[in-house]
Amino acid sequence: MIVLFLAQAAMADAAVTRRVETVLARAPIVDGHNDLPWELRDSGVPPESPALDTGTTALPHPFQTDLPRLKRGGVGGQFWSVWIPADVTGPRAVEMTLEQIDRVHRLVAPHPDRMAMARTAEDMRRIARSGKVASLIGVEGGHQIDGRLSVLRQYRTLGVAYMTLTHGHSLAWADSSTDAPIANGLTPFGRAVVAEMNRIGMIVDVAHVSDATMAAVLDTSKAPVIASHSDARALADAPRNIPDDLLRRIGAGGGVVMVNCYPAFLSSDWRAWDRTRTAYAKSVGVAANVYGPRSPAPLIAWDAANPPPRVTAAMVADHIAHIAQVAGRGAVGFGGDYDGINGTGPENMTGVDGYPLVLAELVRRGWSDADLAALTSGNILRVMEKVDAVAKSLSATAPDDSIDPLAR
């Protein structure tokens, strides 16, 4: 009887794997957020490094992303973040953003057989059909435009597909979820930013903004918005996660919440463990934002004595399922935040190759192939098409040359 049970379980697992493989062959994942460009810069690894071809886990500074793992993970489209620190402002913020945009183009250019830049949903489909990773760019913070809509437009010209309105610091015109409010929503200039993004076909990303700013964006935007790497606050009480009332509004407006794989956003227990770990690191004078074997020696010993709570692929699926229940299955996607989460991740999901585990979990929960294909790519491609349609409808509107007086 035990042998029969094991044989049946193995057959069931094989059937699940085949379904996941079939879905990914037809609808590869379009991931909303990956911070590899900054990791390359921070570690001094050139974007042309052959390690991206062969694997980056053996580098002195291991990454969570490389071409072999993107393929194993079923990723056929990637929004590369051109993040810069939130405390870099003024003209230097623009310079650094341009350097990061250059780094993305340099990342893609050496791999014409495996990667290609994309601007539209049709580009994404065409490139994915050829077996390549379609690459787009996201600016991760409104501080990167230095209070000028002309800079925003030039980023769009250079291929930027979305801008996250804030990062970790509140701006004069929009508030961060992790800082004290300044704008208390959106100022007139903040509304002008959203309107200009609608006009030029740039996706508005609300991943880091405060609840009040998110509500104001949803009141203002004529196009659907995304949260490129966020989770559900009902399941993990983090300021970066989104409460149900705003999830409903994003879904009702045709937008997408792209689920983040950072354990602190997936699990309240892990978040509490990390707070305790951070307090200990501060007490002994070492950096807390390093995990695993690269941690300072005191933290390696502390981690051994205080292992973290388990965070699993099933918990990623829980967030997807919750968002789908609240906002609709058309309102979910993947935005793993890999190479921006300090090497962490759920069990067996510490790199971009882990996504099939989540899909397998959803198969076991009864998700249809059509729903899975919407999750992997269909929903975000629909948003891109709608954003383009809104831009076309506004094509007769003149550019806005506003400069934010409070940001200068």
Side-chain angles (χ1 to χ4, degrees):
M1 184 63 70
I2 293 175
V3 172
L4 177 60
F5 173 79
L6 292 174
Q8 289 172 336
M11 289 175 61
D13 286 346
V16 168
T17 299
R18 284 194 298 273
R19 276 192 59 192
V20 170
E21 290 173 346
T22 299
V23 168
L24 289 173
R26 187 175 77 253
I29 289 167
V30 176
D31 182 273
H33 195 87
N34 186 298
D35 280 296
L36 179 63
W38 185 264
E39 285 291 273
L40 292 168
R41 178 188 187 122
D42 197 41
S43 62
V45 175
E48 300 85 358
S49 170
L52 294 168
D53 275 304
T54 57
T56 58
T57 56
L59 291 173
H61 182 121
F63 300 142
Q64 296 183 296
T65 308
D66 50 49
L67 285 166
R69 280 185 286 174
L70 285 167
K71 186 175 181 63
R72 291 199 299 272
V75 179
Q78 182 66 69
F79 287 85
W80 301 105
S81 171
V82 292
W83 178 84
I84 66 169
D87 56 2
V88 178
T89 58
R92 181 56 183 149
V94 178
E95 293 172 352
M96 288 183 73
T97 302
L98 293 174
E99 291 163 3
Q100 290 301 96
I101 291 171
D102 175 68
R103 191 165 269 104
V104 172
H105 285 279
R106 289 171 56 198
L107 171 66
V108 173
H111 310 287
D113 57 331
R114 301 171 78 177
M115 305 177 79
M117 296 300 301
R119 289 184 68 96
T120 68
E122 185 48 42
D123 288 344
M124 303 287 285
R125 293 188 180 96
R126 172 179 50 79
I127 293 166
R129 283 195 299 269
S130 71
K132 302 176 187 177
V133 177
S135 295
L136 304 99
I137 300 171
V139 166
E140 195 179 4
H143 63 295
Q144 295 178 242
I145 66 171
D146 190 26
R148 292 179 180 269
L149 297 185
S150 58
V151 173
L152 180 76
R153 287 191 291 273
Q154 290 308 302
Y155 290 164
R156 181 67 182 132
T157 299
L158 293 172
V160 172
Y162 72 67
M163 183 172 76
T164 319
L165 296 188
T166 69
H167 191 255
H169 294 340
S170 292
L171 308 176
W173 52 270
D175 298 321
S176 170
S177 63
T178 51
D179 197 8
I182 299 172
N184 295 303
L186 287 174
T187 65
F189 181 77
R191 291 191 291 273
V193 170
V194 172
E196 191 68 357
M197 292 176 73
N198 288 169
R199 191 189 71 81
I200 64 177
M202 187 183 287
I203 304 167
V204 179
D205 178 21
V206 296
H208 277 271
V209 305
S210 71
D211 293 356
T213 292
M214 194 178 301
V217 170
L218 293 166
D219 289 340
T220 303
S221 182
K222 292 181 169 64
V225 307
I226 66 168
S228 65
H229 54 306
S230 297
D231 291 330
R233 197 178 298 171
L235 300 188
D237 189 13
R240 275 272 286 104
N241 288 347
I242 302 175
D244 284 0
D245 60 330
L246 292 172
L247 289 176
R248 289 189 191 93
R249 291 195 63 190
I250 291 172
V256 174
V257 177
M258 308 183 84
V259 169
N260 192 319
C261 292
Y262 184 32
F265 300 157
L266 293 168
S267 165
S268 293
D269 289 342
W270 197 96
R271 188 174 181 82
W273 170 85
D274 195 47
R275 283 196 298 268
T276 304
R277 183 182 190 269
T278 299
Y280 172 75
K282 184 177 180 180
S283 74
V284 296
V286 298
N289 62 341
V290 185
Y291 299 85
R294 293 178 56 244
S295 300
L299 282 183
I300 289 178
W302 190 90
D303 290 349
N306 303 273
R310 293 188 67 200
V311 178
T312 65
M315 296 169 78
V316 181
D318 289 343
H319 281 263
I320 290 170
H322 180 85
I323 294 166
Q325 181 179 25
V326 171
R329 291 194 178 184
V332 284
F334 285 109
D337 204 8
Y338 284 109
D339 283 304
I341 53 177
N342 299 314
T344 64
E347 292 176 11
N348 300 311
M349 288 188 65
T350 54
V352 294
D353 52 343
Y355 290 123
L357 294 176
V358 181
L359 297 177
E361 177 66 22
L362 292 170
V363 167
R364 287 189 283 268
R365 297 185 189 192
W367 278 49
S368 70
D369 289 1
D371 286 336
L372 294 172
L375 167 69
T376 59
S377 60
N379 293 336
I380 184 61
L381 293 176
R382 185 200 68 243
V383 168
M384 292 177 67
E385 289 170 336
K386 181 60 176 177
V387 168
D388 283 347
V390 168
K392 287 184 174 66
S393 75
L394 298 171
S395 60
T397 305
D400 186 341
D401 285 325
S402 294
I403 298 173
D404 180 21
L406 297 176
R408 305 199 61 75

